[in-house]
Amino acid sequence: MQNILVILDKPKHEQIALQRALELADKAGAKLQLVSFVYEPVVSIPILSGSILNLSDQIKKERGEWLQALQSEYALPSGSTAEVIWHHDIPSWTIEHLASNPCDLVVKTAQKQFGRGGFGSIDWRLIESVPTPLWLAVSTHWVKRDRIVAALDPAVDNPLHIELNQRVLKLGERMTQLLGADLESVACVPVSGEVTDIDTFRKQAGALLEAIDKVIAESGVTCSQSHFVTGKPAAEVNRAVDRNKARMILVGRGVRKGPRGFLLGNTAERILGRTNTDVLIVP
C-alpha cells in the first residue's frame, strides 16, 4: 500500500479520516494525498460571476491557510501532498481523479445519519462507484480490541461471489497485518419466518458452513474466529461486529453485471446502513 487519497473533513470537524490514514501510512510506509473541497454555488450564476470572483479567491485562500496549519499540526509522511479543490461534486471529482491517478485506498469520514440510518448521499455515491477500496471512518471510542471483521457472502455456489469473498479476506488480512489487529469473518444465512424442517435446515446449514470454511482456506487467509449466523443479515452481521467491539467491518461491493454492475446488492446496502463502526468497501 503506497498511495492513499484522503478526503478531509471541513475545518470545524475532528479530521477522523486523516487520523485513520496517518496510522495506516505510518505502518505501511505510504504517501498521503490530502484534498480539501470548497465551492460557492453562486459562481455558477453568470450575472453574479464577476462580483463573486473575489469571494471565491478569498474562500480558497482561507482554506489554503487552514490546510497549511493542518500540515503543521500533523506530521505527514515524506512525499505527501495537500491541496484545495474547488469543485461542487466530491464523488465525480474523485472518480475522475482516480482514473488518471491510481491509488491503493480512499479514506473519508462517513456522513453518518443516525436519525434516519445509513450514510449520506455523497458516501453512497462513492460506495457505488469508486474503483478503489474505500474506508469510511466514524468515531468509535467504544472499541475495546483491534478486531477487523470480514463479512462474507454465503452464496458460495457463484464463482463471482467466491472471488469477491477472497478479495475481502485478502484485503482484511493485509489491514490486520498493518494495524496489528485480529481478523474474523462473519457469514449470515437469511432465514425468514419459522423453519418448518429443522433437520433439513441443519443439514443444509452444515454444508454451507463447510463451503465457507473452504473459501477461507483457499484464500490462504487465517481467521482467528469465524461467525456463522442466521436471520436478517443487516441485523445479525452488525450484531456480531458490535458484540465483538470490532474496529472495522469489510464488505464486498456487489458483483452485478450490466448497467447496474457498480451497485451494491440489497443485502450489503442494509448491512452498511446499520453499521456502527468503520467500514471498508472492497470492489
Side-chain angles (χ1 to χ4, degrees):
M1 191 166 291
Q2 299 179 331
N3 299 291
I4 301 174
L5 175 65
V6 184
I7 300 175
L8 293 171
D9 302 330
K10 292 181 179 179
K12 63 180 180 180
H13 293 148
E14 192 179 347
Q15 303 305 320
I16 298 173
L18 177 57
Q19 295 170 24
R20 297 288 196 276
L22 284 169
E23 178 187 6
L24 186 61
D26 179 61
K27 304 292 179 59
K31 297 182 293 185
L32 302 182
Q33 180 186 0
L34 311 184
V35 291
S36 181
F37 287 88
V38 294
Y39 188 72
E40 174 50 63
V42 297
V43 299
S44 61
I45 304 175
I47 196 171
L48 296 176
S49 59
S51 61
I52 293 298
L53 182 60
N54 291 336
L55 175 60
S56 63
D57 288 342
Q58 181 62 29
I59 292 173
K60 288 187 285 186
K61 179 182 177 182
E62 291 176 356
R63 183 60 63 86
E65 292 172 350
W66 170 81
L67 194 52
Q68 287 183 340
L70 188 72
Q71 294 176 76
S72 300
E73 179 181 354
Y74 294 92
L76 301 184
S78 176
S80 297
T81 62
E83 61 180 321
V84 176
I85 303 295
W86 183 269
H87 203 283
H88 70 286
D89 191 323
I90 293 175
S92 63
W93 181 91
T94 303
I95 295 164
E96 183 177 345
H97 176 77
L98 292 174
S100 54
N101 300 274
C103 71
D104 302 298
L105 180 69
V106 176
V107 185
K108 180 185 179 297
T109 301
Q111 291 181 305
K112 289 297 288 185
Q113 299 177 332
F114 291 110
R116 291 177 290 169
F119 296 98
S121 60
I122 291 176
D123 291 344
W124 275 120
R125 291 176 58 204
L126 289 169
I127 288 170
E128 292 172 347
S129 304
V130 168
T132 299
L134 171 67
W135 184 345
L136 293 174
V138 299
S139 180
T140 51
H141 302 298
W142 52 267
V143 169
K144 301 298 182 183
R145 286 188 58 189
D146 274 342
R147 299 184 182 186
I148 294 176
V149 178
L152 303 182
D153 191 323
V156 289
D157 55 343
N158 184 324
L160 293 176
H161 288 263
I162 293 174
E163 292 174 9
L164 181 59
N165 282 336
Q166 292 183 343
R167 289 200 300 274
V168 169
L169 287 164
K170 289 176 181 177
L171 183 56
E173 180 184 52
R174 179 60 174 152
M175 295 297 289
T176 56
Q177 291 171 346
L178 292 172
L179 298 174
D182 294 326
L183 179 64
E184 300 181 0
S185 66
V186 58
C188 180
V189 178
V191 178
S192 57
E194 297 183 359
V195 178
T196 56
D197 190 335
I198 297 295
D199 291 337
T200 299
F201 175 76
R202 286 175 176 170
K203 182 178 179 181
Q204 293 173 341
L208 180 57
L209 180 57
E210 291 180 0
I212 292 174
D213 287 340
K214 181 180 178 182
V215 169
I216 296 174
E218 290 180 348
S219 73
V221 173
T222 300
C223 295
S224 61
Q225 187 173 356
S226 295
H227 307 274
F228 186 75
V229 294
T230 60
K232 296 181 178 180
E236 297 305 326
V237 168
N238 281 300
R239 184 173 289 116
V241 172
D242 293 347
R243 183 171 57 245
N244 290 281
K245 300 189 184 306
R247 67 172 297 175
M248 177 191 292
I249 179 173
L250 281 82
V251 179
R253 196 168 68 194
V255 290
R256 299 176 185 172
K257 292 184 177 181
R260 304 187 69 190
F262 289 105
L263 296 180
L264 285 168
N266 291 334
T267 298
E269 288 180 0
R270 288 193 291 271
I271 291 172
L272 291 174
R274 295 181 59 167
T275 187
N276 298 311
T277 188
D278 285 13
V279 173
L280 184 56
I281 310 299
V282 184

